[in-house]
Structures are given as C-alpha cells and as structure tokens.
Amino acid sequence: MATINKRLKDIKRVIVVVGGKGGVGKSLIATTLSLVLSKRGHSVGLLDLDFHGPSCHTILDAKGVMPTEGEGIIPPEIHGIKLMSVVYYVGEKPLPLRGTEISNVFTELLAITKWGRTDYLIVDAPPGMGEEILDVIRLMKKGEFLIVTTPSNLALKTMSRLVKLLLEIRVPVLGIVENMRITKTKLTEELAKGLDIKYLGYVSFDYNLEGCISNPKKLLKTKFADNVKNILKVV
Amino acid sequence: MHEWALAEGVISTILTVAKKKDAKEITEAEIKIGCLQQIDENIFTTAFRELVKHTPLEKTKIKLKNEEAYFKCRTCELEWNLTNTTNALGREESEAIHFIPELAHTFIRCPRCGSPDFAVTRGRGIWVEHIKILK
Ligand SMILES: Nc1ncnc2c1ncn2[C@@H]1O[C@H](COP(=O)(O)OP(=O)(O)OP(=O)(O)O)[C@@H](O)[C@H]1O
Ligand SMILES: [Mg+2]
Ligand SMILES: [Zn+2]
C-alpha cells in the first residue's frame, strides 16, 4: 500500500477510461488521448489494465521494447508515451486469471512501476465493474473517470449502472463520451442529464480507423482524433 | 532490479508494524521469501541494507527464510510444487513470474491434466514473518 502510494506520488492527474460495456472504444480513446496529450508536450503514462485482452500496445505499435529495471520497473516510451502492460511479459499468449489473481496482478503492477514525474496517467480499463475497476477505486485515489459509451441502448444501460456505482461511492466522474456515432440521437446526452453528469461530446464512427491501428502518426490525423481533441477541450 | 522494489515494500511494512507497536528499537526482522518469484537473496539484502541507511532500521538484523512454492489444480485437484515445474521454464518465463507471480498462469500447466486453472497455495511473494522490538 505504502509502496503504491509512493509510486503514484509524482503523477498529477489519473484519468481512468471506463465504459461498463465491452467494445465501445475505450482502448482507442484512451490511447488517442495519450497521444494527443503527449504531442502537446505533457508527460504521459498509459496503463493497460485489460489483462485478458491488452490492446494499447497494438494501437501504439509497441514492438521489441521492454521495461528497464532499476529499483523498480521503468516503462519504455513509445511515441512519447510511457506504456505499462502485461504484454511485455506474456506476449500474445493467454493469461487466464480468476478474481483475486487479477487483483494481485494489479497490485504488483502498481507496486513495481516507476512512472516518475507524469502529468497525466491514462488508465485503459477492461469492460465490466469487477476487480480492475474496484481496485482502481481502492488503490488509485487520484482517479477521475471518463465514461465511454456508444449510443446503443444496450451500451447505455450497462454504462449507466457503472455510473450509478461511481456516483454512489463518490469518485470523480469527468463525464460521458458518446463514441461511434453514426446518426444523430439525443439518447446519450439525455441520459447524461438524467444521471447529472457532463455530456462531453461525441466521436463519429470513422470508417478509416481500422487502417490506422498500429500507426499512431496516421491515427492522429483521423477525424476520430479530431473528435477526441474536441472532447479534451471540455475536460 | 525488482528486489529493490520488494525491499522497499518490506521496509515500509516493518516500519508500519513497529510504529503500531510503539517500538523504540527494531532489533530483528524475519522475512519469508516465497520461491515462486525466485528472488535473488544477495540483491535483496544489498537493497535492504542500502535503503535502510539513515532510518530506524539501519541496525536491524534480517533473517531470510524460504518457502517452497506449491500449486493446486482447480480442475483435477492435484497438488505439486515448483521444483517439479521449473525445468520446463525458460529464462524469460521465470523472469516474467519473477515480476508478477500470477503470470504463472501463462507459463505453467498442471502436470497431470494440463489445466492453467490452478491456485498458488504457498510460496507466493515476500512477507514479514515477525519482528523483534524493544520498547
Ligand atoms: N469512432 C470509431 N469509429 C470506428 N470504429 C471504432 C470507433 N471507436 C472504436 N472503434 C472500433 O471498435 C472496436 C473496439 O474498440 P476498442 O478495442 O477501443 O474498444 P474497447 O471498449 O476498448 O473494447 P474492450 O471492452 O474489449 O476493451 C475496434 O475495432 C475499434 O477500431
Ligand atoms: Mg479495451
Ligand atoms: Zn490438473
């Protein structure tokens, strides 16, 4: 516990990207957000908390890099971002874990990683509201939650359960991002209003996005990235 | 080295416990080292001694004891220990487990049924077994 607090001491803001629902674009938004912030001269860390399906390294095209060891573990910088992920150790092999084991991995990662002075630590959370989310709440007291959803009623319902939980335990919620918008609807905005949290804007469905995964330079030039920059203005 | 991070954790645990017990002096600490992480005792000791300089633990003696790592398969209930597994582990795999013991689930399988669904029942991590203090 004390070790973890010490490790997180020099981080100014921790932004946790969550959604409740799977596949809504959390990883892409978290990674793009990191890239944009880093391009603006901030020092940025990115923590991939999805142990069963880590994605950030694929989006950033992190290959052949490893953390360096020195009284802890220093994550390598990829396109200016300090990326920490279990992927360095397990590669593309499966990592089957049960509840407490997930919690243990999380604790170990936080205890060994030396982020150093960091303006923003972006956390890419897996779907659901299990161990990873509860542990972020328990161990990363600086965490501010950025909610990602699609305007589908199925995603919205799962997302709003998560938001209710976050509000109940009084952790800071930055607001909701509506992702993969194809047609204009007011659903997400109205739901945000109903939950009494900020609607941060939308990110359009971008048909060219798939071709930009593993190519951060190209990713930054997409409409998707422009939309993410607009969200950043509101946050 | 990861041993440094572990030593840091151990030191802060000892200090917290000692404070709770109102200790004036901490004379000895017994530290149990689970074998799963293959912690290098020499590096650990060096790290410990370096990190306690100018702290109340500067003169504290440390005793290191090992605990063999045991697994229990959740599928067929076989229990086995690390020594029966290590031969199969390569350097990179041991290294991964060294940092995060749960990564065993990527590299170790039940020797009887091949399941990756097992529990580490003993010998995970590092912990302070007990401390001797003066009040
Ligand atoms: N605005 C968008 N336009 C088009 N495709 C998108 C958009 N946002 C995300 N995607 C695509 O949707 C898929 C899911 O995205 P991503 O992996 O970021 O979601 P996730 O919420 O992190 O998923 P998981 O819950 O599994 O972690 C990806 O294939 C991604 O390329
Ligand atoms: Mg994801
Ligand atoms: Zn078995």
Side-chain angles (χ1 to χ4, degrees):
Chain A
M1 225 2 217
T3 314
I4 291 178
N5 289 336
K6 196 171 143 195
R7 297 277 185 233
L8 300 175
K9 195 178 68 200
D10 295 327
I11 302 174
K12 284 196 197 128
R13 290 184 72 178
V14 176
I15 298 185
V16 191
V17 182
V18 294
K21 192 79 174 165
V24 293
K26 297 178 292 296
S27 298
L28 263 161
I29 289 184
T31 310
T32 307
L33 203 59
S34 308
L35 282 166
V36 172
L37 286 168
S38 161
K39 277 277 168 306
R40 291 187 182 165
H42 298 291
S43 113
V44 180
L46 177 59
L47 174 62
D48 195 331
L49 271 196
D50 196 337
F51 307 142
H52 294 143
S55 303
C56 298
H57 68 289
T58 307
I59 304 172
L60 287 177
D61 193 30
K63 274 195 231 118
V65 285
M66 278 299 276
T68 41
E69 297 169 38
E71 300 176 24
I73 297 275
I74 300 158
E77 278 197 25
I78 300 143
H79 301 278
I81 298 166
K82 295 177 265 192
L83 172 69
M84 194 56 183
S85 166
V86 291
V87 91
Y88 300 126
Y89 304 108
V90 301
E92 298 302 325
K93 295 191 191 79
L95 174 58
L97 298 169
R98 285 174 178 265
T100 20
E101 293 162 354
I102 297 178
S103 222
N104 286 342
V105 173
F106 180 82
T107 316
E108 293 289 341
L109 267 184
L110 286 193
I112 63 176
T113 309
K114 290 190 110 173
W115 297 101
R117 286 206 179 285
T118 304
D119 297 320
Y120 294 92
L121 175 62
I122 312 293
V123 180
D124 178 24
M129 51 176 118
E131 273 69 19
E132 302 87 342
I133 313 287
L134 297 174
D135 278 335
V136 167
I137 295 169
R138 183 169 64 98
L139 297 171
M140 301 177 98
K141 296 292 181 205
K142 283 183 199 160
E144 304 167 68
F145 289 77
L146 183 73
I147 320 286
V148 178
T149 185
T150 64
S152 151
N153 211 0
L154 291 176
L156 290 170
K157 287 207 145 158
T158 303
M159 175 276 282
S160 69
R161 281 179 212 273
L162 176 65
V163 171
K164 283 176 195 162
L165 174 81
L166 297 175
L167 294 176
E168 183 191 334
I169 51 184
R170 294 169 194 275
V171 294
V173 175
L174 293 168
I176 299 183
V177 178
E178 173 184 350
N179 187 26
M180 298 197 223
R181 178 194 263 207
I182 299 173
T183 51
K184 219 169 151 179
T185 76
K186 286 256 167 210
L187 276 180
T188 314
E189 211 171 338
E190 277 162 12
L191 187 65
K193 215 182 217 163
L195 290 164
D196 199 21
I197 59 174
K198 242 190 192 162
Y199 174 75
L200 301 170
Y202 66 87
V203 179
S204 306
F205 192 93
D206 186 337
Y207 289 92
N208 298 317
L209 198 54
E210 194 56 36
C212 304
I213 291 172
S214 301
N215 189 339
K217 286 211 179 90
K218 227 169 123 189
L219 178 61
L220 276 174
K221 289 192 195 121
T222 52
K223 180 104 189 299
F224 176 86
D226 287 339
N227 286 161
V228 171
K229 284 177 203 161
N230 285 333
I231 305 276
L232 206 55
K233 278 183 204 150
V234 194
V235 179
Chain B
M1 268 298 177
H2 186 215
E3 278 77 4
W4 285 76
L6 294 170
E8 252 184 272
V10 166
I11 290 165
S12 81
T13 308
I14 299 175
L15 287 173
T16 316
V17 176
K19 203 172 169 190
K20 264 197 202 136
K21 295 192 170 169
D22 268 329
K24 243 223 244 81
E25 208 184 308
I26 306 140
T27 51
E28 193 185 288
E30 189 182 310
I31 297 154
K32 270 274 180 75
I33 297 183
C35 292
L36 180 56
Q37 275 183 286
Q38 305 191 18
I39 294 157
D40 186 317
E41 290 187 17
N42 285 328
I43 302 176
F44 179 85
T45 312
T46 311
F48 187 94
R49 294 268 70 111
E50 192 61 37
L51 291 168
V52 294
K53 278 186 183 157
H54 316 294
T55 78
L57 297 181
E58 185 150 16
K59 295 210 172 74
T60 306
K61 268 206 282 184
I62 52 169
K63 261 201 208 159
L64 303 182
K65 286 201 175 156
N66 288 308
E67 186 178 275
E68 171 84 84
Y70 280 88
F71 307 94
K72 183 168 182 188
C73 179
R74 291 190 179 104
T75 306
C76 76
E77 307 211 320
L78 177 77
E79 290 187 67
W80 78 96
N81 66 13
L82 184 65
T83 28
N84 302 343
T85 323
T86 11
N87 308 351
L89 288 182
R91 217 186 63 88
E92 277 176 28
E93 299 170 350
S94 302
E95 180 108 296
I97 296 170
H98 172 67
F99 288 118
I100 304 169
E102 277 65 33
L103 302 189
H105 292 281
T106 294
F107 305 114
I108 295 176
R109 294 290 178 260
C110 168
R112 182 155 76 196
C113 76
S115 172
D117 188 12
F118 53 81
V120 180
T121 49
R122 290 176 63 193
R124 182 203 178 273
I126 179 165
W127 61 100
V128 181
E129 187 79 358
H130 70 251
I131 60 173
K132 281 189 192 156
I133 54 168
L134 295 177
K135 288 215 177 187

